[in-house]
Amino acid sequence: MTKNYISYHHFVLFFIFFTLISSKLTAQCAGDDNTNELICDVSNPIYQSVNLFSLLGGSPVPGGTWTSANNDGLDASNGILNAQLIRGGGTYRYTYTAPATSGCTDNKAVVTITIGAYVGVGSEATVCNKDRTFNLFTAFDSKVMGPHVNGRFTTDKGAPVDPVITIDQYTVKTTLHFIYTVPAVLACSPDEKSTNVQVTILIAPEAGDPTNLELCGTTDLAGYTNLDLNDQLEDVDPDGTWTGIGIASATDHHINLQELFDANGPGAYTYTYTVLAVPNNYICEDDEATVTITLEKRIDFTGSKIIVNKDICESEIATATYSGKIIQGPDGIPNGEYDVTFTVVGPGISGFENVRANFVNGEFNFPIQSSYFKQVGKYTITITRIVSTSSLGKCVNIFSPFSTVLTIYPLPRLTNASLTAIPVCQNDDAIIQVTAPNLLDGTYRISYNVNGENLALGETAEMIAVGGKASFIVPGNLITRSGLSVITIYSITDITNPSPQCTNMANVAGNLNINPLPNAVTVVAKVNDYCLNAPVTVAVSGLGNLTNASISYSLSESNSSTVQTITKAVANGKLDFIIPAELLLNTGTTKITLLNLTNTVTNCDVDLINVTDDFVINPIPLAPMVSDQQFCKVDEAVVANLEPKGSQYKWYNSATATTPLAVDYVLKTEDYYVRETSAAGCTSEPAKVSVVINDTPAPEMIEAADFCGLANPKISDLSNKTNVSSTVSWYDAVDGNLLPSTTLLVHNTTYYGYDLNETTGCLSDNYKEVKVSLQDCEEAQYDFFIPDGFSPNGDGVNDSFVIKDIEFLYPNYTLEIYNRYGNGMYKGDNSKPAWDGKNYEKSGIAGGIAPNGVYFYVLHFNKDNKPPKQGRLYLNR
């Protein structure tokens, strides 16, 4: 131990000796290093300004600089050190460097200072838990120097703690005790130094953590008409008060956002909740929490439009600049900054761009790059998005893309164009046809010259081009001489749109032939007299070598008219035409005046002077007085039967017919027309006579013509079985004899019935043919008598054996007669009802005369299974 100490001591002495010798030799400009300067009572105010330069030994040259590993409290320019700013006890070294002008080879010297430990003066601190954390170094007496910071804090229980403690977890007032200890600096004292620190934590009022509200005021406020602001706070002390728009009192915490929006519009509305600190608590401040309610307005962009400046001509492409303007619709767009996206689609280009600018008084102006527009054509600029940069996006705005069209118009070009013209007449306007395959559809203004037989320079005209075709008019006052003129276009301007109107030079020429006017000095008109409504022919002569002409004329005196025009071929200088009937409605003298003559080959015309003629329109007789007429069909009436009669009357079957009917024309139910011809040969208008040919329908049977002959039916009984029993008449044949109603009906006889119409007096043209049966008898109603003898002696009385009326009751009966020997004598029936006393069975044809005597009969009824009847009869000649 002693050996080591001696060795260390010798080393230190050697080092000091070497250093002193070295400093003497090489560092005289910076002075000599000092011995260790002890500052054990650093809290003494004198150590706030320690002059390091004065601590150097030797003869240092002033004006140098100071450096150190720890620059706390060091003013490097003048070497003044505030030792109280050094934050821990220990040894510190400061190097002085002499100024460069000193010329020393070793220009540095070191001052060593040892600072004693300083623990400061512990104190009591009162803090608010709202501060979250507390630095224990701030709990020292601030009237004296603060403690060195290289110590340690412990609780009064000895547990180490950080200098910065957390205090916001305390919810009730709490007092904490700490001990601060700094390590000893042996050069000054072998012991550590400690002091006590007390911290009292007061509880701050808590206004809570606010939750802001962001809504669309236009659409989202139906559920916010009674918003409780307390619901927007968390971890809040009660009994605070709210302030803000719509808060009615200190206890009110409800607001109606719908009314707020309706009254004040969109915006950010702040509501402040204030909780007061406990009285006499000057450490914790009153606490406030602010809830911001942002109400946005839905923007309706409907009706907004875009205007782009501007359409240009092709020649301006290289220098043109462009800008757009959005103009708000009826709903309005609030002022402010917006992001706008637009697209540009056109020939060879499709792009989009985002711009940011301000809407000011409903207008948004923005630039558009000229690089989009590099060729002729139409460019559609479409606004696809408009968003306010300040918007929170709470409203779904009403927006649909809208667009406009910017057009770069081509220069009008008459390349490969040609001019043609239809020949015109002197003094008439000429239509010049322009064929220009490279000229677009549109309206153009041209400048042209007229040369040749006519001369006019610097004239202008407008023309409309469609499909490479156009035309313009050269006024007649520029072409007063006939012959050939040349029309030359030297400039063309597109005036389809008000702006721009693009102009280009041109050089297109074409010929125009100008025809002479016709010569009609010898024109004469001639008209004969006519009946009213008859075609009136006008004969015109003196037309020279014209081949086709159009003539205008008018009528005056008894008939007058506006100007009329006809066009006809001309032969040998003549033509004729018919004056329309509607112009000649009055009788009397009428004058025709020819007004104008046009050569329709060239369309050149000349006015005519004193070319007139008078003619007479004779009256038409009045239509005959007539009345409608009726005839019976059976009478077969003809035209000669019609009234009126006479050679001056002609009958027709239509109002327009020209061929009269023959006098033996058989009349029908139809309209006939009669005209009267006057002595002047004028025919009246037709008078219509309606002719009716009455025909009564033939009677119809409503029952079968079946009778019982035993009832002696008559014609009247047959009539009663028709549908016209009171008017029917019966004949024995067609065109036969009329049968009285009392005429008895005959079995199997045919009768012919006609009906008489009592109104028209006409007998039916057709008839009803009826065959009568008299065998419809009832047995119970009628009986018959079988005679018991007869005398066939030819005296006309009882000459045959006949069962009278049996044919009505039993039409299918058969009768057999036998002699007393059972030999058949006769067989009869309805068709052979009488036995004349001859033996027909023996030879078939009156084979013999039956002798007087008794004979027997068998009557077969052949009806309803009635059994035959047998009997005897006596033949006595």
Side-chain angles (χ1 to χ4, degrees):
M1 181 70 176
T2 303
K3 182 178 181 180
N4 289 338
Y5 174 77
I6 293 173
S7 298
Y8 172 74
H9 181 67
H10 288 171
F11 171 77
V12 171
L13 291 177
F14 174 78
F15 174 77
I16 293 173
F17 174 78
F18 178 80
T19 300
L20 291 175
I21 294 298
S22 175
S23 297
K24 295 288 186 179
L25 294 177
T26 63
Q28 292 302 317
C29 291
D32 297 330
D33 295 344
N34 76 324
T35 58
N36 189 8
E37 182 75 21
L38 294 177
I39 301 178
C40 294
D41 185 14
V42 72
S43 62
N44 192 322
I46 64 173
Y47 295 115
Q48 293 179 357
S49 180
V50 177
N51 190 334
L52 296 177
F53 191 80
S54 66
L55 297 179
L56 292 170
S59 301
V61 177
T65 58
W66 293 88
T67 59
S68 175
N70 183 355
N71 289 323
D72 292 343
L74 174 64
D75 186 344
S77 62
N78 56 25
I80 301 301
L81 175 68
N82 185 347
Q84 291 186 354
L85 297 180
I86 297 174
R87 306 309 298 158
T91 299
Y92 300 89
R93 291 176 174 80
Y94 300 90
T95 301
Y96 176 70
T97 303
T101 57
S102 63
C104 297
T105 58
D106 186 358
N107 57 354
K108 297 183 184 294
V110 176
V111 172
T112 300
I113 297 177
T114 296
I115 305 297
Y118 180 67
V119 74
V121 179
S123 182
E124 297 179 1
T126 302
V127 298
C128 184
N129 70 331
K130 192 75 170 182
D131 296 334
R132 310 291 183 188
T133 60
F134 178 71
N135 191 333
L136 294 176
F137 283 112
T138 63
F140 288 79
D141 190 350
S142 61
K143 297 179 181 179
V144 297
M145 174 182 167
H148 285 164
V149 297
N150 59 337
R152 64 185 183 278
F153 285 97
T154 59
T155 65
D156 54 358
K157 304 298 184 180
V161 295
D162 290 334
V164 178
I165 63 173
T166 301
I167 61 175
D168 60 355
Q169 73 271 28
Y170 296 98
T171 58
V172 296
K173 180 180 178 182
T174 302
T175 299
L176 304 175
H177 299 276
F178 302 94
I179 300 172
Y180 182 62
T181 302
V182 295
V185 176
L186 297 178
C188 291
S189 173
D191 299 322
E192 294 180 331
K193 295 183 178 181
S194 299
T195 187
N196 293 323
V197 174
Q198 177 179 303
V199 178
T200 299
I201 302 171
L202 302 180
I203 306 306
E206 181 57 63
D209 296 323
T211 299
N212 295 328
L213 192 59
E214 298 169 350
L215 299 168
C216 180
T218 309
T219 60
D220 298 347
L221 301 185
Y224 294 90
T225 56
N226 190 32
L227 176 65
D228 189 343
L229 290 173
N230 288 342
D231 293 340
Q232 300 303 116
L233 297 175
E234 293 182 357
D235 302 327
V236 61
D237 287 346
D239 301 327
T241 58
W242 286 94
T243 56
I245 298 175
I247 298 300
S249 66
T251 59
D252 187 14
H253 51 87
H254 290 85
I255 56 172
N256 186 328
L257 295 188
Q258 185 67 64
E259 291 181 355
L260 176 69
F261 182 77
D262 293 344
N264 301 280
Y269 299 91
T270 57
Y271 292 86
T272 302
Y273 183 71
T274 303
V275 182
L276 299 178
V278 177
N280 301 320
N281 179 355
Y282 302 106
I283 301 300
C284 293
E285 298 178 350
D286 297 343
D287 194 23
E288 291 183 348
T290 298
V291 174
T292 300
I293 299 177
T294 303
L295 302 180
E296 295 191 329
K297 178 183 178 182
R298 181 180 67 187
I299 302 176
D300 186 353
F301 293 96
T302 302
S304 298
K305 62 181 180 180
I306 176 175
I307 298 173
V308 174
N309 187 24
K310 63 181 177 170
D311 295 348
I312 65 169
C313 295
E314 179 183 359
S315 56
E316 301 174 79
I317 290 177
T319 58
T321 59
Y322 306 90
S323 63
K325 177 190 290 186
I326 299 174
I327 300 175
Q328 67 185 6
D331 200 50
I333 300 175
N335 290 345
E337 186 180 63
Y338 290 78
D339 284 332
V340 171
T341 301
F342 65 91
T343 62
V344 179
V345 178
I349 186 69
S350 177
F352 72 93
E353 192 171 338
N354 296 312
V355 293
R356 175 172 290 184
N358 290 315
F359 260 104
V360 178
N361 298 325
E363 294 185 356
F364 181 95
N365 293 283
F366 61 96
I368 303 177
Q369 298 178 32
S370 59
S371 58
Y372 290 122
F373 313 103
K374 290 303 182 182
Q375 56 182 299
V376 168
K378 293 184 178 296
Y379 296 82
T380 300
I381 296 90
T382 302
I383 303 301
T384 60
R385 185 180 71 102
I386 304 177
V387 177
S388 171
T389 59
S390 61
S391 172
L392 300 174
K394 296 303 175 180
C395 290
V396 178
N397 295 329
I398 300 175
F399 176 83
S400 293
F402 53 93
S403 60
T404 189
V405 174
L406 181 144
T407 303
I408 299 179
Y409 292 96
L411 295 179
R413 289 179 170 84
L414 291 179
T415 308
N416 299 323
S418 62
L419 300 186
T420 57
I422 298 174
V424 297
C425 304
Q426 294 170 256
N427 305 319
D428 284 351
D429 293 348
I431 299 176
I432 310 301
Q433 301 291 338
V434 181
T435 300
N438 297 317
L439 190 63
L440 301 179
D441 292 356
T443 303
Y444 298 89
R445 181 174 58 248
I446 60 166
S447 298
Y448 67 93
N449 295 328
V450 179
N451 299 98
E453 291 297 328
N454 296 278
L455 180 64
L457 304 177
E459 300 295 329
T460 61
E462 292 186 4
M463 66 181 188
I464 298 175
V466 178
K469 304 287 186 181
S471 64
F472 65 94
I473 294 176
V474 175
N477 62 350
L478 301 182
I479 46 177
T480 58
R481 297 168 61 87
S482 62
L484 179 65
S485 292
V486 178
I487 312 299
T488 303
I489 299 176
Y490 62 85
S491 174
I492 180 170
T493 299
D494 187 346
I495 60 172
T496 303
N497 301 291
S499 175
Q501 295 186 347
C502 305
T503 300
N504 201 6
M505 302 307 295
N507 183 16
V508 183
N511 294 333
L512 172 62
N513 287 309
I514 301 156
N515 293 316
L517 300 178
N519 184 3
V521 176
T522 59
V523 175
V524 175
K526 179 64 178 176
V527 185
N528 295 324
D529 296 340
Y530 289 89
C531 295
L532 183 65
N533 300 329
V536 176
T537 299
V538 180
V540 181
S541 60
L543 298 178
N545 60 358
L546 296 180
T547 58
N548 198 291
S550 177
I551 295 177
S552 297
Y553 68 92
S554 66
L555 303 177
S556 59
E557 298 185 12
S558 293
N559 293 282
S560 61
S561 73
T562 58
V563 176
Q564 307 294 309
T565 301
I566 62 94
T567 299
K568 294 291 291 289
V570 179
N572 300 319
K574 299 178 181 180
L575 66 77
D576 57 58
F577 64 91
I578 295 176
I579 299 174
E582 63 268 18
L583 302 180
L584 299 172
L585 301 178
N586 302 314
T587 60
T589 300
T590 298
K591 180 187 291 292
I592 184 170
T593 302
L594 303 191
L595 303 172
N596 182 271
L597 172 64
T598 300
N599 181 349
T600 57
V601 175
T602 63
N603 287 324
C604 296
D605 70 299
V606 63
D607 291 335
L608 301 175
I609 300 174
N610 295 326
V611 181
T612 65
D613 190 31
D614 294 333
F615 58 96
V616 176
I617 300 298
N618 293 306
I620 301 296
L622 295 176
M625 299 293 292
V626 295
S627 61
D628 294 340
Q629 302 172 45
Q630 296 187 17
F631 301 91
C632 293
K633 184 177 181 180
V634 296
D635 296 336
E636 297 183 345
V638 295
V639 167
N641 298 119
L642 292 171
E643 294 290 342
K645 295 179 174 66
S647 61
Q648 71 272 34
Y649 299 108
K650 297 291 186 293
W651 291 88
Y652 306 85
N653 57 4
S654 77
T656 59
T658 58
T659 302
L661 298 172
V663 293
D664 60 351
Y665 176 84
V666 178
L667 299 178
K668 297 179 289 186
T669 296
E670 60 182 349
D671 293 335
Y672 295 90
Y673 300 85
V674 60
R675 296 177 184 269
E676 182 180 353
T677 301
S678 69
C682 297
T683 302
S684 72
E685 289 295 313
K688 184 177 77 170
V689 175
S690 293
V691 172
V692 176
I693 304 301
N694 294 307
D695 184 17
T696 304
E700 296 292 334
M701 299 301 296
I702 60 176
E703 295 183 43
D706 295 332
F707 301 91
C708 181
L710 299 176
N712 297 318
K714 299 181 287 295
I715 286 294
S716 59
D717 296 316
L718 180 59
S719 297
N720 289 335
K721 290 196 174 190
T722 68
N723 61 331
V724 286
S725 60
S726 63
T727 57
V728 64
S729 299
W730 294 95
Y731 293 78
D732 57 4
V734 177
D735 296 330
N737 298 312
L738 176 64
L739 300 175
S741 62
T742 57
T743 303
L744 292 176
L745 298 177
V746 177
H747 180 64
N748 277 344
T749 300
T750 299
Y751 298 90
Y752 301 88
Y754 294 81
D755 186 27
L756 176 66
N757 188 314
E758 294 179 335
T759 301
T760 64
C762 293
L763 196 65
S764 62
D765 189 48
N766 294 321
Y767 56 84
K768 182 67 176 180
E769 183 178 331
V770 179
K771 189 174 184 179
V772 171
S773 171
L774 301 182
Q775 297 176 344
D776 187 20
C777 298
E778 294 291 336
E779 298 176 32
Q781 185 177 359
Y782 299 99
D783 200 358
F784 60 90
F785 171 73
I786 301 176
D788 58 359
F790 71 108
S791 56
N793 54 14
D795 62 357
V797 178
N798 203 21
D799 283 334
S800 61
F801 178 74
V802 176
I803 303 175
K804 187 179 180 181
D805 297 332
I806 191 173
E807 71 273 14
F808 299 122
L809 292 173
Y810 302 103
N812 296 320
Y813 78 94
T814 58
L815 177 65
E816 298 174 356
I817 297 177
Y818 301 90
N819 61 19
R820 59 183 179 176
Y821 302 109
N823 297 321
M825 300 296 292
Y826 171 79
K827 287 186 178 181
D829 56 19
N830 196 13
S831 63
K832 191 171 62 173
W835 182 43
D836 57 3
K838 296 179 180 179
N839 185 357
Y840 287 90
E841 292 296 315
K842 184 175 182 181
S843 62
I845 304 176
I849 301 301
N852 291 342
V854 176
Y855 293 84
F856 300 92
Y857 66 85
V858 178
L859 178 60
H860 296 275
F861 296 100
N862 295 325
K863 182 178 179 181
D864 299 331
N865 295 319
K866 185 172 183 177
K869 183 175 182 181
Q870 299 179 2
R872 64 181 181 177
L873 63 90
Y874 183 75
L875 188 155
N876 183 23
R877 293 187 185 275

